Amino acid sequence: MDFYLPISEYFPAQNVLASFMGHTSKKYNTVKAFNSKVEGMYDACFDTTVVTVGEKVRIRFSMEILDDKFSIDDNSISEEAVDFLVEVLGNPNATENGFDEVNTAREIRFTLENIEAMKNDKRAYAVSRLRQLMCKDEPYGIDNDWLEEGVRGLDSKQLLDAYNNMLETASIVITACGSVDGEMLTEKFKAFVEKIDNRNPAVLETVFVTKADEIRYFKEEMDVNQAKLVIGLRAGMENSNDDYFAYRVMTDIFGGGPYSRLFLNVREKMSLCYYCACQAVKNKGFMLVDSGVEAENSEKAKKEILNQLEIMKKGEFTDEDFNSSIIALSDAFKGVEDSPVVPHTTNASIPPSICSSTSLCKRGKLTL
């Protein structure tokens, strides 16, 4: 079950809220009781995540369960799982004055540890800093210091405010994969949503900047063995569907698979970096080149990356390059159906994890 909201001042609280609701509820008000209930459903998996998709926040509550046909007592595991999910979402470990204070303090600590862990992952940190600096005046440019400060300053009442805001203003998407009774699931979740007071889903929009007015360069000194070189390039997209497929193939030939120009030339032929790849950030309309280099090679690597981009702009790639990319991307898209995991392409401020159903019988989607 996904809750989509605009990036806002609630973002620090939303990260703590998701962690909190993934560990306790009013009925299962200790971590032990909560986990015992989940494990009692044939060792199910319950997970919560917060990620940003463009300038939207997605708060996900997901469960991985055993297919009903494998139940030894003929009980409906899927219905029990839906009831549990509704219970967790509708009855958090809170009163009208705020969330439980002891658990709030624990979840704030957990969230701060996750933020610190991201800082220690220098590749993720460099990408995060590029987003912050490149999109400074856009909601997408989340400042990590602001996030950390916001989490540190939270109290249990602010957590309750974020919870109520989520229920009242989020666009809700429910996705089921497996042999789940769709009618049962729809009825239960509709009943849950209909009980929410003051439902008024917010308008979800993203700022697309088609070009940069100037080239900006930022450098941070750190005591690390391998420097990180990250380049952000506006792609001219006016929305997420603006010539996207051509854009996707272009970025793949430029810096996707082992046939790409960045891999073959910058990494292999010239040995200027340990890794060098380009990804299309569809939901914001820019390209991101991510590489690990020796510090003394950073200028050479940057120059050659931009040189390879100029070659792409001139159309100096072969039919073989083009066909290799089409085949690789087509296989990747088809491969989505080989996994019951709900696919997601995101830019996370805290590294996401995801759980899913265990059966691939059918997949359905309900938007509320």
Side-chain angles (χ1 to χ4, degrees), residues 61-324:
F61 300 85
S62 62
M63 290 199 72
E64 179 181 350
I65 59 173
L66 190 71
D67 193 288
D68 286 342
K69 66 184 178 183
F70 296 112
S71 170
I72 60 176
D73 51 12
D74 295 324
N75 288 339
S76 174
I77 306 169
S78 60
E79 184 169 7
E80 185 179 1
V82 171
D83 288 338
F84 175 75
L85 188 53
V86 169
E87 164 67 27
V88 169
L89 291 169
N91 297 291
N93 190 5
T95 67
E96 61 182 11
N97 296 318
F99 274 66
D100 178 82
E101 292 188 359
V102 173
N103 286 299
T104 296
R106 180 194 64 214
E107 300 303 337
I108 288 174
R109 177 168 51 87
F110 286 167
T111 305
L112 290 172
E113 289 173 355
N114 284 337
I115 294 172
E116 190 63 30
M118 184 192 68
K119 291 181 180 179
N120 292 331
D121 181 342
K122 300 310 178 188
R123 184 174 184 177
Y125 174 77
V127 171
S128 179
R129 283 290 289 160
L130 177 130
R131 175 174 74 170
Q132 176 187 334
L133 295 166
M134 183 177 178
C135 305
K136 180 181 179 182
D137 298 322
E138 304 159 41
Y140 187 72
I142 296 170
D143 187 308
N144 292 325
D145 292 336
W146 168 79
L147 173 61
E148 183 174 354
E149 182 180 347
V151 171
R152 290 187 186 280
L154 284 174
D155 59 34
S156 59
K157 177 61 169 62
Q158 290 170 308
L159 215 56
L160 180 62
D161 291 342
Y163 167 75
N164 289 329
N165 175 263
M166 179 184 75
L167 294 187
E168 293 168 7
T169 67
S171 295
I172 303 174
V173 177
I174 299 135
T175 305
C177 178
S179 55
V180 179
D181 184 338
E183 186 175 345
M184 174 274 296
L185 182 145
T186 300
E187 288 178 357
K188 287 182 180 290
F189 280 126
K190 277 192 172 181
F192 162 72
V193 173
E194 287 169 357
K195 292 179 181 178
I196 301 172
D197 296 328
N198 304 317
R199 274 283 292 165
N200 185 25
V203 176
L204 300 173
E205 297 178 330
T206 293
V207 176
F208 279 82
V209 179
T210 58
K211 63 179 181 179
D213 294 328
E214 60 178 329
I215 298 174
R216 294 183 293 161
Y217 180 69
F218 301 93
K219 184 177 181 180
E220 291 186 17
E221 297 286 349
M222 290 186 178
D223 185 16
V224 294
N225 294 326
Q226 183 188 107
K228 307 299 178 186
L229 173 64
V230 187
I231 302 173
L233 302 156
R234 302 288 185 180
M237 295 178 69
E238 296 182 355
N239 57 66
S240 60
N241 295 315
D242 185 5
D243 215 11
Y244 171 68
F245 294 106
Y247 168 45
R248 186 69 182 84
V249 173
M250 186 277 289
T251 54
D252 189 63
I253 297 173
F254 176 49
Y259 44 80
S260 70
R261 301 205 64 85
L262 294 185
F263 184 90
L264 291 175
N265 294 282
V266 185
R267 182 183 186 277
E268 294 295 294
K269 184 178 179 180
M270 303 182 71
S271 299
L272 289 174
C273 55
Y274 300 98
Y275 61 87
C276 188
C278 177
Q279 60 175 293
V281 184
K282 174 185 178 183
N283 292 292
K284 275 294 291 179
F286 69 81
M287 291 192 305
L288 188 151
V289 179
D290 177 23
S291 61
V293 301
E294 294 287 352
E296 60 267 24
N297 288 334
S298 60
E299 285 299 321
K300 291 180 181 179
K302 182 180 71 171
K303 182 178 179 180
E304 187 56 33
I305 289 169
L306 297 178
N307 176 54
Q308 293 300 323
L309 182 60
E310 287 298 319
I311 291 173
M312 286 294 302
K313 287 165 65 176
K314 294 175 184 177
E316 296 179 7
F317 51 87
T318 66
D319 289 342
E320 183 179 356
D321 296 333
F322 182 78
N323 291 330
S324 295

